[in-house]
Amino acid sequence: MDQFSNESQPHNDSQPINESQQYAFSPPPNPYQPPKTNGKSIAGMVLGICSIAIPYIGFIIGIIAIIFSSLSLKEIKRNGDQGRGMAVAGLVCGIIGTALYAIIILAIVLVIAFNPDIGNNYDFSNNSNNIEQSF
């Protein structure tokens, strides 16, 4: 007897093979989908850049950028989303923009507070005499 022969399992031709059992169909696996980018990190980065670039309202935009960026960093840590670099960039730019415009606003307030003659450099009392003398 051959040790490789298949005599222990008799072949029965009387039973037909069901093709659905022979070739079971399985749907193809889902393609790899990378984690989504956190939307707040994008908004924080855009607002952070705008806080540096846009004068006068950069202080308020910077504060909003800091809030969005810090919230997105927490969500990225919790959910595993992408966008950590954008959130950090938004946070840094928001801090720089807020600090820059805070210093500018503080300097303007100090100049106005310690120089009461700002705007009073022109003597309006002699203006009418100067005009009449010029004609």
Side-chain angles (χ1 to χ4, degrees):
M1 179 184 255
D2 187 16
Q3 65 181 5
F4 296 110
S5 69
N6 201 4
E7 291 180 12
S8 61
Q9 297 177 357
H11 183 54
N12 188 357
D13 288 331
S14 63
Q15 294 178 343
I17 298 174
N18 188 353
E19 289 188 21
S20 64
Q21 292 174 349
Q22 184 179 1
Y23 303 105
F25 176 75
S26 63
N30 290 334
Y32 172 74
Q33 294 179 352
K36 66 180 180 99
T37 302
N38 191 298
K40 288 180 184 153
S41 65
I42 297 170
M45 183 184 70
V46 170
L47 289 172
I49 293 170
C50 289
S51 73
I52 294 173
I54 298 176
Y56 306 113
I57 59 171
F59 181 75
I60 296 168
I61 294 174
I63 293 172
I64 297 169
I66 293 169
I67 292 169
F68 271 104
S69 296
S70 62
L71 288 175
S72 69
L73 283 172
K74 288 178 186 176
E75 286 181 6
I76 288 169
K77 189 174 186 179
R78 183 178 60 233
N79 298 338
D81 294 342
Q82 290 183 343
R84 186 175 191 283
M86 288 187 280
V88 170
L91 188 63
V92 170
C93 290
I95 290 170
I96 290 172
T98 303
L100 177 72
Y101 287 109
I103 291 170
I104 291 171
I105 291 169
L106 183 64
I108 291 171
V109 168
L110 290 175
V111 166
I112 292 172
F114 289 114
N115 192 358
D117 293 333
I118 258 186
N120 293 333
N121 292 337
Y122 189 74
D123 188 15
F124 292 104
S125 62
N126 292 329
N127 191 18
S128 60
N129 292 337
N130 291 340
I131 294 174
E132 289 174 3
Q133 291 174 358
S134 64
F135 289 114

